[in-house]
Amino acid sequence: MKQVGEIIREKREEKGLLLRHLAAEIDIDQALLSKIERGERKATKEQIVKFETVFALKKGELMLQYLSENIAYDIIEEKNPIDVLHVAEDKVEYLRKQNKRK
Amino acid sequence: MKQVGEIIREKREEKGLLLRHLAAEIDIDQALLSKIERGERKATKEQIVKFETVFALKKGELMLQYLSENIAYDIIEEKNPIDVLHVAEDKVEYLRKQNKRK
DNA sequence: CATTTAATGGACAAATATAGTCAAATATTC
DNA sequence: GAATATTTGACTATATTTGTCCATTAAATG
């Protein structure tokens, strides 16, 4: 199961880019990119969008990994993380219906 | 589908407590409690634990609602929130296995 | 193996988000 | 309509996140 940072590093190396090249494209410091790739820091949503563009990934593909990874790490230390996700699912479905109605 | 704030308000009223009484027990300003009950502000995890104690709820019961509610609102505006949750579930399961092994 | 180049670590600063308070304005109850 | 309870909004404090700089380490190259 690949982490977002790993995916980014792989893609960067596939393209033969150096940290500083990709960092420049994303418009961040190369040290920060290094940390993101190694999972020491999290990217922002905006940066994930940029990565998708630079790597020509399907829109939302990396974002899906990113969002779910954040959630997973947020709750992994909790009592019943799986239950939390199931209840969250109920709530999302409920909220969507609500929105549809109005 | 009840929101955390609503649950708190119900419980408080069941016990016949005023905002300022419960606020004192939880050790926050009553204005903040008012906002939490109406969903204008979010409680902290620590406060949720206190609410569980004050209301003699099963440990983790309110926390489950709280955590899942936060997640639901975090992703409701995203493209495929349900997919996000499913992938998050995979990741949680993966992380747990990892932990077990070491 | 010495130099150059790339990547990483750590301390700090800036920006943003969250939590909390106070006092005034509203609403509710008697 | 006075007293009590709740809500609102502006503001401050605190915590967290994001980003940069520069020193250090690691890797590659002549």
Side-chain angles (χ1 to χ4, degrees), chain B residues 2-59:
Chain B
K2 246 174 276 173
Q3 291 182 275
V4 167
E6 300 180 79
I7 297 171
I8 293 170
R9 174 149 294 185
E10 272 183 19
K11 294 287 172 189
R12 174 173 67 82
E13 289 177 343
E14 271 174 29
K15 292 191 77 176
L17 296 174
L18 295 178
L19 278 173
R20 80 177 116 90
H21 297 141
L22 180 55
E25 291 213 63
I26 303 297
D27 193 32
I28 54 173
D29 194 283
Q30 75 165 40
L32 181 52
L33 176 55
S34 167
K35 286 165 193 173
I36 289 170
E37 287 187 349
R38 286 170 299 111
E40 190 186 318
R41 290 287 187 94
K42 282 183 355 185
T44 65
K45 260 158 74 164
E46 292 67 33
Q47 287 158 0
I48 294 296
V49 171
K50 288 184 185 177
F51 283 120
E52 286 182 347
T53 305
V54 169
F55 295 135
L57 296 172
K58 193 150 29 113
K59 222 176 167 347

Side-chain angles (χ1 to χ4, degrees), chain A residues 33-75:
Chain A
L33 176 55
S34 168
K35 286 164 194 170
I36 289 170
E37 287 187 349
R38 287 169 300 111
E40 191 187 317
R41 291 285 188 93
K42 282 182 355 187
T44 65
K45 260 157 76 164
E46 290 69 33
Q47 289 158 0
I48 294 297
V49 172
K50 288 184 185 177
F51 283 121
E52 287 183 345
T53 304
V54 169
F55 295 136
L57 297 172
K58 194 152 26 113
K59 220 171 168 353
E61 192 181 341
L62 192 62
M63 187 63 77
L64 174 65
Q65 295 302 315
Y66 170 79
L67 294 170
S68 56
E69 182 174 305
N70 289 349
I71 290 174
Y73 283 107
D74 276 355
I75 62 171

Side-chain angles (χ1 to χ4, degrees), chain A residues 9 18-20 31 34-35 38:
Chain A
R9 175 149 296 187
L18 295 178
L19 279 174
R20 80 179 118 89
S34 168
K35 286 164 194 170
R38 287 169 300 111

